[in-house]
Amino acid sequence: DVSVWLNTENIINQYMNYFNRGAYGILSGVAKTVGKPTDGYNSAVNIYFDKDKLRMEQKTFSANPEMNKMALDVMANKQNTSLINFVNPGNIGYLSMSINTEALANYYYSFLKNYFSNLSYTNEYADMVDVYIDLLQIVIDEKGIGELLPGNYMFVMHDMKPQMVDYTDYEYDAEYNRTEVKKTRKELSPDFTFAFETKKEGFIEKVMHLPLKYAEKEKFNYKQKDGYYALTFDTGKYPISNLYFMVKDGKVVITTSLKVIEMAKTNTGFATDADTKNSILSNNYSLKLNSKNLIEKLQTQFSTDVNKKISDYMLQNLGDVKMESSIKDGMIQTIATMNIKGKHTNSLEFFFNMFESVNDIIEKDRQDKEKKMY
């Protein structure tokens, strides 16, 4: 239904050149620089308003063979299967990312060379800058960086639960004298896990162990437990009460869930469904957002009738959101979908119906309030 063709370098350069017009030429080097790392990149985006979903398909490649190969090298990686164990059934959402960190570091050197060779005050010394960057590339061990962070990451929002949190408010008398008042309010406490792969467990262990030396002096509650570390927050002061850190079997785990820590210690995991596993292992990026779970959790925070009615409408009409990206046919290809429910001819009509329905809810609420006033 909608097709868009984008030349990234041209768009960025056109925008930056326009922006530069009001800068007296000072940013001319920046205008050239920003577009260079995207040399020759083209993207085709097709949007389809299907009956039960909005679907967007994007294909990206560079006409410059060297740049295209560098981009594909960054995507030349597969997710670590053990990270899938942290995705629990019924989660609110997850994001899986798998890239080649070593290739990304090499891509960054190319960016630096383009950057300095196009700056007005360094382009005269572009050859010298190239030598310095080549030296930097020799000094920095990309393989070492790749071993520390191979490029596999997983973030999971397991749940969100209401929790009472203390906060300070102020009241004023007739003379505008301020009085401090302690109050409580209900906030959502996120239950999440962020895990990533590493081949440098010893270094990560040193980093996790380091705060123990300063915990008592700096007055924060950080302790070493049986195979993990725990940071405990003051009760009622923050939305989360504990944060746990652990490194084991090539995985670094940062989580609010002690259950996840125990599973990591015993090399067990959640019973992740087959579709989720396939999506994660078949793509460099895999994202899914359970709209029903998210809206139901957010509803616990709504105090007005109008917000509750709007969220009820979204609950009845909005489905899950999903995004996958990987290399296919020598290009970076991405498919994103947003499912819809309810009685709509297609997903385009859904947007018009949603705007109209939300506006009607707000307008009716306004009219009801006016009637009560009179």
Side-chain angles (χ1 to χ4, degrees):
D1 298 300
V2 178
S3 294
V4 182
W5 174 266
L6 304 171
N7 182 302
T8 312
E9 182 185 5
N10 284 353
I11 288 178
I12 293 176
N13 281 335
Q14 290 289 344
Y15 174 78
M16 291 301 298
N17 286 332
Y18 176 80
F19 178 76
N20 182 49
R21 288 170 63 186
Y24 303 100
I26 296 173
L27 299 178
S28 59
V30 177
K32 295 177 183 178
T33 300
V34 174
K36 270 295 181 181
T38 59
D39 184 21
Y41 276 108
N42 301 287
S43 292
V45 182
N46 290 329
I47 301 174
Y48 306 90
F49 296 110
D50 298 335
K51 179 174 177 56
D52 59 344
K53 61 181 174 291
L54 170 68
R55 177 165 49 98
M56 184 187 78
E57 298 182 358
Q58 177 176 346
K59 298 179 180 180
T60 300
F61 68 95
S62 175
N64 182 327
E66 182 182 354
M67 297 299 293
N68 196 60
K69 181 180 182 304
M70 293 178 72
L72 297 183
D73 286 345
V74 172
M75 300 283 279
N77 201 21
K78 290 291 184 182
Q79 184 60 278
N80 186 323
T81 55
S82 63
L83 295 184
I84 301 175
N85 294 333
F86 297 112
V87 183
N88 64 303
N91 62 77
I92 293 174
Y94 75 84
L95 171 63
S96 168
M97 183 173 75
S98 180
I99 58 173
N100 187 317
T101 305
E102 183 180 347
L104 184 63
N106 288 322
Y107 185 91
Y108 183 65
Y109 295 126
S110 176
F111 166 79
L112 287 178
K113 288 183 178 181
N114 284 322
Y115 180 83
F116 287 109
S117 64
N118 284 282
L119 286 178
S120 58
Y121 50 86
T122 57
N123 58 5
E124 183 181 350
Y125 308 100
D127 293 341
M128 187 181 299
V129 170
D130 277 0
V131 172
Y132 277 118
I133 294 175
D134 287 340
L135 179 61
L136 181 67
Q137 189 170 3
I138 293 172
V139 172
I140 296 177
D141 183 7
E142 296 83 15
K143 291 188 180 297
I145 296 173
E147 288 181 357
L148 177 65
L149 299 170
N152 292 323
Y153 307 91
M154 178 70 71
F155 177 82
V156 186
M157 182 63 75
H158 303 293
D159 199 358
M160 290 192 294
K161 299 177 181 178
Q163 177 175 298
M164 299 308 297
V165 177
D166 299 328
Y167 72 101
T168 302
D169 199 1
Y170 299 94
E171 295 181 354
Y172 298 84
D173 59 21
E175 302 296 327
Y176 296 100
N177 295 310
R178 187 175 71 172
T179 304
E180 187 177 286
V181 181
K182 298 293 184 182
K183 295 184 179 181
T184 60
R185 63 186 173 206
K186 186 165 61 175
E187 292 187 1
L188 287 174
S189 176
D191 181 16
F192 66 87
T193 295
F194 175 58
F196 59 91
E197 182 184 7
T198 185
K199 297 178 182 177
K200 296 283 188 178
E201 288 188 31
F203 176 78
I204 299 295
E205 177 65 30
K206 286 182 180 179
V207 172
M208 290 184 177
H209 189 82
L210 189 61
L212 290 174
K213 181 179 178 180
Y214 305 97
E216 185 175 351
K217 179 182 178 181
E218 301 297 332
K219 295 182 172 55
F220 59 90
N221 192 350
Y222 185 82
K223 295 181 179 179
Q224 186 173 12
K225 303 286 186 176
D226 182 20
Y228 64 95
Y229 298 86
L231 177 61
T232 303
F233 300 95
D234 294 340
T235 303
K237 193 173 181 180
Y238 300 100
I240 61 175
S241 55
N242 292 283
L243 199 56
Y244 305 104
F245 306 85
M246 180 180 181
V247 55
K248 183 177 184 291
D249 296 334
K251 297 185 295 292
V252 179
V253 182
I254 303 170
T255 181
T256 58
S257 172
L258 194 56
K259 179 180 179 181
V260 169
I261 290 293
E262 293 299 328
M263 288 193 308
K265 287 171 63 177
T266 57
N267 292 319
T268 57
F270 292 108
T272 310
D273 63 274
D275 287 343
T276 298
K277 288 181 179 179
N278 182 62
S279 177
I280 292 173
L281 292 177
S282 302
N283 295 280
N284 294 92
Y285 294 89
S286 175
L287 176 146
K288 186 173 183 181
L289 181 64
N290 189 317
S291 299
K292 178 177 181 295
N293 285 356
L294 177 61
I295 294 172
E296 286 178 344
K297 300 301 178 182
L298 293 176
Q299 279 183 328
T300 63
Q301 297 295 100
F302 297 150
S303 56
T304 63
D305 288 339
V306 64
N307 284 338
K308 291 177 181 177
K309 289 177 181 178
I310 291 174
S311 63
D312 283 339
Y313 177 85
M314 300 301 290
L315 198 60
Q316 295 166 9
N317 291 272
L318 186 62
D320 294 343
V321 176
K322 188 176 183 179
M323 186 275 290
E324 297 176 335
S325 183
S326 62
I327 298 174
K328 293 179 182 177
D329 302 325
M331 295 178 283
I332 299 173
Q333 300 195 32
T334 302
I335 299 177
T337 59
M338 183 182 74
N339 294 319
I340 62 170
K341 301 178 288 186
K343 297 179 180 180
H344 312 282
T345 303
N346 54 40
S347 55
L348 178 60
E349 187 181 87
F350 157 75
F351 285 104
F352 291 106
N353 291 343
M354 178 183 68
F355 295 139
E356 184 178 11
S357 298
V358 170
N359 183 67
D360 289 344
I361 292 171
I362 295 173
E363 182 63 22
K364 187 176 184 307
D365 180 72
R366 184 187 65 80
Q367 292 174 359
D368 290 343
K369 288 179 179 178
E370 288 181 352
K371 288 179 182 179
K372 290 179 182 179
M373 290 175 64
Y374 297 104

